[in-house]
């Protein structure tokens, strides 16, 4: 069965591995003591030699504290990413990203977003 929206990266680099697993613990994301997200249903994404990334479901994200930016990037494995910044804060742009319409191979991350772990505090457990 063929995919309607396959990731070209996996076709070109079939040995590239991305794994997803339930984090299995509560996660909270904050910046300067301000909560940005909290969930018991986060996913841990591992990709090649990159640091693991925690993806939080949209239902746990406080979008009222965030504003979409104009930034968009492309990953040949996941798709096109959209970015957000903290509203009214000095944290800079693009603190959170999401693949809102990922390739079929990565459909499990649809409705989830990740935060820049160098600029926010991510507490697990």
């Amino acid at each position: 069965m063929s995919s309607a929206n396959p990731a070209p990266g996996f076709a070109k680099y079939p040995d590239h591995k991305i794994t997803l697993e339930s984090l299995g613990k509560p996660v909270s994301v904050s910046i300067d003591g301000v909560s940005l997200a909290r969930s018991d249903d986060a996913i841990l994404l591992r990709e090649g030699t990159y640091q693991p990334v925690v993806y939080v479901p949209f239902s746990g994200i406080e979008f009222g504290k965030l504003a979409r930016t104009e930034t968009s990037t492309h990953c040949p494995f996941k798709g096109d990413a959209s970015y957000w910044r903290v509203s009214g804060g000095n944290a800079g742009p693009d603190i959170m990203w999401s693949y809102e319409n990922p390739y079929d191979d990565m459909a499990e991350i649809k409705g989830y977003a990740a935060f820049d772990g160098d600029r926010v505090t991510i507490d697990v457990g």
Side-chain angles (χ1 to χ4, degrees), residues 4 6 47 60 63-64 67 78 103 106-107 112 117-118 120:
E47 179 175 5
F63 279 96
K78 296 185 268 322
Y103 290 121
M106 296 303 300
Y112 285 75
D118 292 333
V120 300

Side-chain angles (χ1 to χ4, degrees), residues 34-120:
V34 176
S35 176
L36 299 177
R38 180 178 302 276
S39 178
D40 292 332
D41 299 314
I43 295 172
L44 186 65
L45 182 144
R46 296 179 194 272
E47 179 175 5
T49 59
Y50 297 109
Q51 289 292 319
V53 177
V54 174
Y55 277 77
V56 179
F58 282 0
S59 60
I61 297 171
E62 298 189 39
F63 279 96
K65 296 177 182 175
L66 300 163
R68 189 182 291 265
T69 70
E70 296 294 319
T71 304
S72 177
T73 59
H74 178 76
C75 171
F77 302 99
K78 296 185 268 322
D80 295 322
S82 302
Y83 290 78
W84 286 258
R85 64 176 173 77
V86 176
S87 298
N90 294 322
D94 308 336
I95 203 161
M96 183 184 88
W97 67 92
S98 176
Y99 295 90
E100 295 177 274
N101 294 296
Y103 290 121
D104 292 347
D105 309 71
M106 296 303 300
E108 291 176 76
I109 63 173
K110 184 176 180 127
Y112 285 75
F115 291 84
D116 183 337
D118 292 333
R119 298 189 296 158
V120 300

